[in-house]
Structures are given as C-alpha cells and as structure tokens.
Amino acid sequence: MVGRRKVKPTALSTWVSGVKAFRAKFNYGDSDWVGTVALKQKIKTHVGQPPSVGLSLALFNEIVTWKLAGQEDRTRHLRTKLTDDLVRKITACAFSLAHSDRDYLTRAHLYVLQGISGVSTGVASAILALTFPDQYCVIDPRIWKAIYGQNQEQFGLSDYRHCLADVL
C-alpha cells in the first residue's frame, strides 16, 4: 500500500501474540463484552442485514456513548441540532454504498458518516464496526497503542486503512 507507515514488525507480532493470549483467557461474561454484543444485535435488528435503513437518533446516540465511554460531552455541543431524520438519511446513505474496491468503499463510508456533526474518524469507525463487524474495526488511541506501540490521538483515512489492513 502506498504511503503506509513503517511500523516495527516486533510491535505487530507482539500484538498478535498478545491477542492470542487474551482470547485464550477472555471472559465472555464481561459486562463490556455483553453490552457490545447486545448493541451489535440491536443495530442488526434495527437496520437489517444487509442494512436497509439508517440508524435512529437514539441508536446513534447509544453508539456514540459506547465509543466515547464517558467522553461524549466533549462533542455533545456538535450534536445538539441533530435530528432523527438527518441521522437516518445519512446512515442509510452510507450503509447503501457498494463498490468493488474496498479502499474506495471505506473512504466513501467514512466520509459520508462524517457528514453527521460531531462524527470523527473514530466514531465513524465505531458505526461501521458495529454495523459490519466482519469488514471494519474501531480505531482510537488505545487500539493504536496496543497494535503499534505508538501514541496517536488523531486519525485520518490513511490511518484507518492501515489499521484495517493489519487487523482484518
């Protein structure tokens, strides 16, 4: 991939080993895990598979709360004027997109979802990962640090593509 950052192979291999060890000991009764599974099912039930409708404002807000985990106040002012109709139409548009080129489709999905005020690459990635769990992942500073051993706070399309290539 052109423009991909060089990451020490040891960081990625260490991450893969850590994931394998984590999976072997994972507690599927953990409340965060149970809540995430329930949210994914709620989204699947609401939008269908493949998605045929967009998210309701209430379901969108649940995703924002899940993703930002106590930090949602920092973008709340950006979301005060959101309407159910706007969120439904923008997410329905994003979910209806199709393209044979995965990178092109990822770009389109992210940018359409970022048309919703207050939606960053991180929140857009959460919407995609919860709606299309086999095709997308969530990106945020904790995940980046765990995978690459590097601190990073802001993410763009190239970062997300890089992460997707390594995770999926």
Side-chain angles (χ1 to χ4, degrees):
M1 179 178 278
V2 176
R4 258 180 91 165
R5 284 182 222 193
K6 301 256 183 206
V7 176
K8 294 182 214 173
T10 56
L12 186 56
S13 61
T14 300
W15 175 77
V16 170
S17 297
V19 168
K20 288 178 181 176
F22 176 78
R23 288 182 78 186
K25 296 187 278 184
F26 186 69
N27 173 10
Y28 289 91
D30 177 79
S31 62
D32 286 338
W33 175 258
V34 170
T36 300
V37 170
L39 183 55
K40 288 191 325 189
Q41 185 57 48
K42 193 173 191 178
I43 293 166
K44 184 177 180 178
T45 300
H46 178 81
V47 301
Q49 283 300 329
S52 58
V53 299
L55 299 171
S56 66
L57 180 59
L59 193 49
F60 168 80
N61 284 331
E62 281 187 58
I63 294 169
V64 170
T65 298
W66 175 87
K67 169 61 178 86
L68 298 180
Q71 298 176 22
E72 64 185 296
D73 284 345
R74 66 183 179 172
T75 60
R76 186 178 308 279
H77 68 283
L78 298 171
R79 297 187 315 273
T80 57
K81 293 184 181 180
L82 286 181
T83 64
D84 191 69
D85 184 60
L86 183 69
V87 170
R88 283 182 193 276
K89 286 179 178 173
I90 291 175
T91 56
C93 175
F95 298 162
S96 71
L97 299 173
H99 200 279
S100 59
D101 183 316
R102 179 182 166 86
D103 281 345
Y104 201 84
L105 182 59
T106 297
R107 179 181 195 270
H109 276 145
L110 282 178
Y111 289 170
V112 168
L113 290 171
Q114 288 178 38
I116 300 172
S117 185
V119 172
S120 62
T121 300
V123 171
S125 76
I127 293 168
L128 292 172
L130 291 166
T131 307
F132 304 101
D134 296 332
Q135 300 169 38
Y136 291 99
C137 66
V138 178
I139 191 170
D140 72 14
R142 294 173 305 268
I143 292 169
W144 194 268
K145 175 82 172 177
I147 296 172
Y148 304 112
Q150 301 170 348
N151 292 320
Q152 185 162 329
E153 294 295 319
Q154 300 293 317
F155 301 96
L157 177 62
S158 63
D159 300 315
Y160 190 56
R161 284 178 172 161
H162 177 71
C163 189
L164 280 176
D166 288 338
V167 171
L168 299 179

